Amino acid sequence: MYAMSGPHRGSGGLSPRNLSIRGSVSLPEAELMWRFSRSSGPGGQHVNTSDSQVELRFDLARTEALPEVWKQRALDRLAGRLVDGVVTVRSSEHRSQWRNRETAAVRLASLLAEATAPPPKPRRPTRIPRGINERRLREKKQRSDTKRGRTGRDWG
């Protein structure tokens, strides 16, 4: 068996035990399901032998890590992406599995951060000041009179 050491071997130093979403909320490593497969794309001869494509799955419907309000928000917003309450993120753009793992983790974190964000405050329409409206109508009237004066009626 080969020794697994060095910066790109194994999952040592990959990411902290928990995947941080926003504030103090994070997903425990135990709730993240990783799957590796052969990746299409760059890699040369090595690509046919290494499982560098990463698929990260997170069971959003059954998690206890997110506050209930966030969980409902995310379930509503990600409804089109979920399969049985599970959200899946894939990464295969890097040649190394380790970098693909990091990319997938960052993608999942940003996806969940966006999906759990509070809705924006409703827009309060601004009132147009009366003076501005009156000036606009006055200018329209003036322009209308100018154009009316250009008709060829009096040019006989």
Side-chain angles (χ1 to χ4, degrees):
M1 196 77 204
Y2 299 109
M4 300 210 29
S5 63
H8 299 292
R9 297 278 181 211
S11 63
L14 165 69
S15 61
R17 296 300 304 155
N18 296 333
L19 184 62
S20 179
I21 300 299
R22 193 171 65 246
S24 62
V25 178
S26 59
L27 305 178
E29 182 72 32
E31 289 193 23
L32 301 177
M33 296 166 279
W34 298 91
R35 209 175 100 202
F36 309 100
S37 57
R38 291 195 183 143
S39 174
S40 61
Q45 294 169 328
H46 181 61
V47 78
N48 297 324
T49 59
S50 64
D51 291 342
S52 59
Q53 177 172 298
V54 173
E55 184 178 286
L56 174 57
R57 300 174 56 165
F58 175 66
D59 196 341
L60 184 59
R62 292 190 191 87
T63 187
E64 298 295 320
L66 297 175
E68 197 55 39
V69 179
W70 286 25
K71 191 165 138 178
Q72 282 310 312
R73 234 184 254 153
L75 285 169
D76 291 344
R77 290 181 184 168
L78 298 175
R81 280 194 71 149
L82 299 176
V83 177
D84 296 330
V86 177
V87 64
T88 305
V89 175
R90 274 193 195 87
S91 175
S92 63
E93 49 273 358
H94 301 292
R95 288 172 64 158
S96 86
Q97 184 190 102
W98 183 74
R99 285 184 60 196
N100 280 330
R101 283 183 69 148
E102 283 194 331
T103 305
V106 166
R107 267 192 209 151
L108 180 67
S110 64
L111 181 73
L112 288 174
E114 200 175 296
T116 58
K121 289 182 179 170
R123 182 186 172 276
R124 232 182 66 220
T126 53
R127 272 194 68 231
I128 299 171
R130 198 174 69 204
I132 289 175
N133 213 17
E134 286 173 353
R135 188 179 72 204
R136 181 182 64 87
L137 292 173
R138 197 169 48 247
E139 285 171 359
K140 276 180 71 156
K141 181 100 174 95
Q142 213 171 4
R143 186 88 183 129
S144 165
D145 292 343
T146 303
K147 287 189 171 190
R148 192 179 302 122
R150 291 182 186 157
T151 57
R153 271 181 288 154
D154 302 334
W155 291 10

